[in-house]
Structures are given as structure tokens and as C-alpha cells.
Amino acid sequence: MMELSPPVMDEYEKLVSRMNTPRVVIDNLVCPTATIVKVDSARKHGILLEAVQVLTDLNLSIKKAYICSDGRYFMDVFHVNDQNGNKLGDEKVISYLEQSMGAIHNVRSKSFDGLTALELTGTDRVGLLSEVFAVLADLQCCVVDSKVWTHNGRIASLMYLRDCDSGSPIEDSQKIHIIEARLRNVLKGDNDIRSAKTSVSFALTHTERRLHQMMFADRDYERKPILRLNYESPAVTVQNLAARSYSVVNVQCKDRMKLLFDIVCTLTDMEYVVFHAIISTDKDEAFLEFYIRHSDGTPISSEPEKQRVILCIQAAIERRASKGVRLELCTTDRQGLLAYVTRTFRENGLNVTRAEISTQGEIAHNTFYVTDAIGNPASPKLIEDVRQIIGLSNLKVKELAAMHEDKAERKVEAVGVGGAMSLFSIGSLVKRNLYSLGWIRSCS
């Protein structure tokens, strides 16, 4: 019997494969203060989000970026720093970044194999999280990983669970039905019978992108905030550039980690395509400008649509805004730990505005952002009283990470809110920087 040989890729298929495989260059020599990450690829919808997702999943700070994806090609230049504000020096991180960026057409999310995903949305209130964790503990559900966001009186959470007794995913349909029903009752506000939602699945997804999608579907951007938290709303404007059929979105706000991801995620999920963009930071301020169209190639067509884009981008930035004192809990994990800790918060008048739950082996690494019951900063005495109850060595107060000042960066006033840069200007700026970094293919 003749042995079958594997199919041979012809020259045309090889060419197509090379054209569709992103070309990645990581340069530590060009800029004295940041590592340059350059990506060149065939253009497809969502590729910008995938590239930014790789950078933010590594907790890299994007200090500057130039984006160009007109025509059939996608070209990005990112200036990035690590969490300490330094250039990338770890060869393992650089190698991983090269491999991940080179495979952004097939970007994968963090693995949660063997866990059950639980999605929750509803009306936020003081003590709600303690009630949720109490129900899960009562139903023998262990929370292995979770993120919780609140915004404008709404709460969204994606939790990854396993059965406490067996350590296996929760697959029993009757138990799943009970979990969903009991949590839906907890999530209902006084007038929120329809919008409280719970859903259990085994699908794997990117947690933070899914949280944006859940809050967007919940229309948190249209709701009025219950708690008046102490932060300024981002300045966002939208104008049309009739000569080139672009809509220009300008954003000015406090700089922070994952800012670009949050905005691009929302634009992508609203089915806008970013053709050009320039991002710049100066100290702790960020200036971002995006040239966008609908997926069908048309610009924003009406004033109500402009206002909706403004509200959605403001919401995307505010959801992750650090609200309150950051408390970090590091201790041996045990059943009911989260219910106990959040109940202690509630009984002492602390409100959780954001949470990140993670379990590594037998150790729980949990972060909570807390305010007082009406959204004001919690008093130091109240925080210390709670720490005394939970354990001073287990629960620690962490200052919010300061944004590292890049002294070599200069404020680009042209991208500030108050007037859109012309397409010729941004195009020239993007091309000038691409050429200076050794890129010779132009964007048309």
C-alpha cells in the first residue's frame, strides 16, 4: 500500500501565509526611555484590539503609540514600559511578546480549564458582593478567579468556579439552575427585576473584554451614578472630517494602565474601525486621537450617535478607574474566605467598588478597592479597624500605583480635546515616525 505523504504547501500558499503573519520588531536602542514594539500585518477587523490586548495582559504601560491601518495593511508603533517605568530588560518577556504579537490573529485568553464561568450583572449596593459570596459559599462553590467592576450604580462580574467538594467544574444542571436563581434574587434592586442577569457557562473568554461587553449591554453609560465618587469625567469630543469621511474622536484624561485597551475594546464592540490614531502621555495625562469609521466605511452620521460614542468612551474609561483605597489580601485560601472578608467590609461600612480575585495553589491573592458607604474616601481609622479584624499581616493597604513620569515625553497639544488634528498632520506625523524607525511601507 502506497504511503500517503503530507500535503505540500505551494509557493502561493507560502506567500499568503507570510503576508498574513504579523511581522514584529522589538527595539531597545532607538528610544532611551521606552521599548519600541512595531507590528506590521495584513489588516483585519479587531487586529488593533488583539495587539493592545497582548501588551496590556503583560501589564505594560503604553506611553505613546502611532496607528495606521488604511488600505490592506496594519502598522502600529508602541512605546512601552514595564510596571516600574523601565524599558523591557527581561529576555523571557521580550521573547514571549515577540511570539504573542506574531500570533495576534490567533490570540488566546488566559486558560481557565476545569472551571465554570459565572457572569453577573445587576444593581450595585453596599454589601452586595458579600451577599453574592455568601450564596456561593453556601452552595459549595469555590471562586478561583474573578473580576468585579461597578459603574453608575451597576455591577458586573465574571467569576470562575469549581465545586468545593470534588474540585471539578460545576456541571449538574439542577445545581446550575439553583445558583443562577439564587444569585438573580440577590442582584435584583428595588426596581430591577428584569435587568438582573446571571449566566453559567463553560466558555473561555478574555475576562476584561467580556466585562466591557456586559456593562455595555447593560447600558451602564446611560444610567445615573448612585454614589458620587471623587474623580473627573474624561473629556471626550467627536467631530466629522468631511473631506476624508472620518469621524475624529479626541480623549483627554488621567493616564493609567490599560487605558488604550479599554477605549479600543469599546470602539471595536461598537463596530467602529480605527484607521489612524496617535496616543501621547505627559506626566499623568493622556491624549488620544482616533480616526474612525463604521465597519461599512461611513463616518458617524448624527448628533445622537456622537453623544452615544462620547458616553460609551467615558464609561469605558471610568469602569476601571481606581476608586477608593486599595486593600490587598494575601492569605491561605479556605472555603468561605471571600464571604467572611466582604461581610466584614459591609458590617464596618465599607463599600467595594472594584475587586480582583486570584488563587494560586493554596494562596489567595485578592485586591479590593473600597470607599465608605456613600462613596467618599474611607477614614484611616475605619480601615485599621477592618485590618485588625481580618488580620494586619493578611490585609494590607496599598497606595495606588503612581504613573511613572517619562521626562523625555513631550505633551502633544495638537491631540488635546478642543480641535481635531487634520488628517494630513496626523498622517505626516505617523509616517515620519514610522520612517524614522526603519519602516518603508507607506499607508495609503
Side-chain angles (χ1 to χ4, degrees):
M1 182 176 179
M2 185 172 60
E3 184 177 351
L4 295 176
S5 60
V8 178
M9 184 181 294
D10 63 26
E11 292 304 314
Y12 176 75
E13 289 175 322
K14 291 179 182 178
L15 175 62
V16 172
S17 176
R18 286 197 298 269
M19 290 177 61
N20 289 329
T21 300
R23 182 171 68 93
V24 182
V25 177
I26 298 179
D27 194 325
N28 259 326
L29 300 177
V30 171
C31 179
T33 58
T35 298
I36 309 300
V37 179
K38 300 179 284 187
V39 184
D40 181 7
S41 173
R43 184 167 68 88
K44 77 177 184 72
H45 183 59
I47 190 172
L48 172 60
L49 176 58
E50 293 174 2
V52 174
Q53 179 179 309
V54 170
L55 297 172
T56 55
D57 284 350
L58 287 171
N59 290 318
L60 300 181
S61 174
I62 301 172
K63 307 304 296 182
K64 185 187 294 184
Y66 307 99
I67 295 159
C68 183
S69 61
D70 251 351
R72 299 174 60 185
Y73 295 99
F74 163 87
M75 290 188 284
D76 281 0
V77 179
F78 300 99
H79 293 222
V80 302
N81 296 109
D82 64 18
Q83 288 180 288
N84 296 317
N86 301 319
K87 297 166 68 171
L88 306 187
D90 189 330
E91 290 299 326
K92 291 182 179 179
V93 173
I94 292 175
S95 177
Y96 177 84
L97 184 56
E98 287 175 333
Q99 294 175 18
S100 300
M101 281 292 193
I104 54 177
H105 289 289
N106 299 296
V107 66
R108 295 181 181 274
S109 301
K110 178 180 177 182
S111 176
F112 291 104
D113 294 336
L115 301 173
T116 301
L118 171 65
E119 296 182 357
L120 308 172
T121 55
T123 301
D124 186 30
R125 63 179 183 276
V126 176
L128 174 61
L129 206 54
S130 70
E131 296 178 43
V132 169
F133 287 136
V135 168
L136 292 173
D138 185 57
L139 294 173
Q140 303 297 304
C141 298
C142 293
V143 181
V144 178
D145 196 279
S146 175
K147 283 186 169 62
V148 181
W149 288 357
T150 64
H151 182 245
N152 281 356
R154 307 299 296 171
I155 186 170
S157 178
L158 182 53
M159 301 181 179
Y160 290 92
L161 315 174
R162 66 168 177 244
D163 183 81
C164 290
D165 294 329
S166 65
S168 302
I170 300 167
E171 299 176 316
D172 180 79
S173 59
Q174 184 176 2
K175 183 171 183 177
I176 288 175
H177 176 73
I178 293 171
I179 292 171
E180 291 178 334
R182 286 188 60 178
L183 288 176
R184 200 155 41 243
N185 286 330
V186 169
L187 289 164
K188 289 176 182 176
D190 294 336
N191 299 300
D192 194 31
I193 297 175
R194 294 183 179 178
S195 61
K197 296 179 182 178
T198 61
S199 175
V200 171
S201 72
F202 298 92
L204 299 180
T205 185
H206 188 273
T207 302
E208 294 172 342
R209 182 173 185 191
R210 183 61 189 142
L211 285 171
H212 276 301
Q213 292 172 332
M214 291 163 62
M215 299 206 90
F216 176 72
D218 192 49
R219 305 174 79 90
D220 67 316
Y221 54 90
E222 291 182 340
R223 301 177 187 268
K224 299 297 182 183
I226 295 175
L227 301 179
R228 292 293 178 180
L229 298 165
N230 296 321
Y231 60 84
E232 296 180 3
S233 293
V236 183
T237 62
V238 179
Q239 346 179 10
N240 280 348
L241 188 63
R244 296 298 296 267
S245 298
Y246 288 113
S247 293
V248 185
V249 179
N250 279 280
V251 181
Q252 181 175 348
C253 62
K254 293 292 183 183
D255 190 24
R256 61 163 173 77
M257 295 290 288
K258 303 188 178 183
L259 175 64
L260 181 59
F261 170 83
D262 292 337
I263 297 174
V264 173
C265 183
T266 297
L267 289 173
T268 302
D269 288 335
M270 294 178 74
E271 299 190 352
Y272 293 108
V273 178
V274 177
F275 287 88
H276 300 279
I278 183 168
I279 290 85
S280 180
T281 59
D282 180 34
K283 297 182 181 179
D284 63 343
E285 289 291 315
F287 306 87
L288 308 96
E289 185 166 62
F290 302 89
Y291 284 69
I292 66 172
R293 293 175 182 151
H294 291 109
S295 54
D296 65 2
T298 59
I300 293 172
S301 59
S302 67
E303 189 60 32
E305 185 183 358
K306 288 182 181 180
Q307 293 305 312
R308 184 170 180 263
V309 170
I310 291 172
L311 290 175
C312 288
I313 291 178
Q314 288 176 332
I317 297 170
E318 292 170 352
R319 288 167 192 152
R320 201 200 294 268
S322 298
K323 304 177 279 285
V325 178
R326 188 175 79 191
L327 301 177
E328 292 188 359
L329 176 71
C330 183
T331 187
T332 302
D333 193 28
R334 65 179 187 272
Q335 186 175 347
L337 173 65
L338 290 170
Y340 164 71
V341 171
T342 51
R343 184 179 72 247
T344 302
F345 290 163
R346 180 193 66 195
E347 290 173 348
N348 287 273
L350 290 181
N351 182 50
V352 179
T353 62
R354 187 158 65 92
E356 297 181 5
I357 311 300
S358 177
T359 307
Q360 299 174 10
E362 297 182 353
I363 304 298
H365 298 272
N366 303 330
T367 301
F368 304 94
Y369 291 83
V370 298
T371 66
D372 69 10
I374 58 174
N376 294 322
S379 70
K381 182 180 184 306
L382 180 56
I383 295 294
E384 286 306 302
D385 288 345
V386 170
R387 291 186 63 220
Q388 289 282 353
I389 297 170
I390 295 174
L392 293 174
S393 62
N394 296 333
L395 186 65
K396 297 183 179 180
V397 178
K398 296 289 184 178
E399 295 296 330
L400 299 179
M403 299 304 299
H404 297 281
E405 179 178 350
D406 186 346
K407 295 182 179 180
E409 301 287 352
R410 293 180 299 172
K411 184 174 181 180
V412 182
E413 296 181 354
V415 299
V417 177
M421 184 190 297
S422 70
L423 181 64
F424 175 79
S425 177
I426 188 173
S428 299
L429 182 58
V430 170
K431 290 182 180 179
R432 184 165 65 248
N433 280 275
L434 293 177
Y435 278 116
S436 69
L437 294 173
W439 289 42
I440 58 174
R441 183 180 297 159
S442 64
C443 295
S444 58

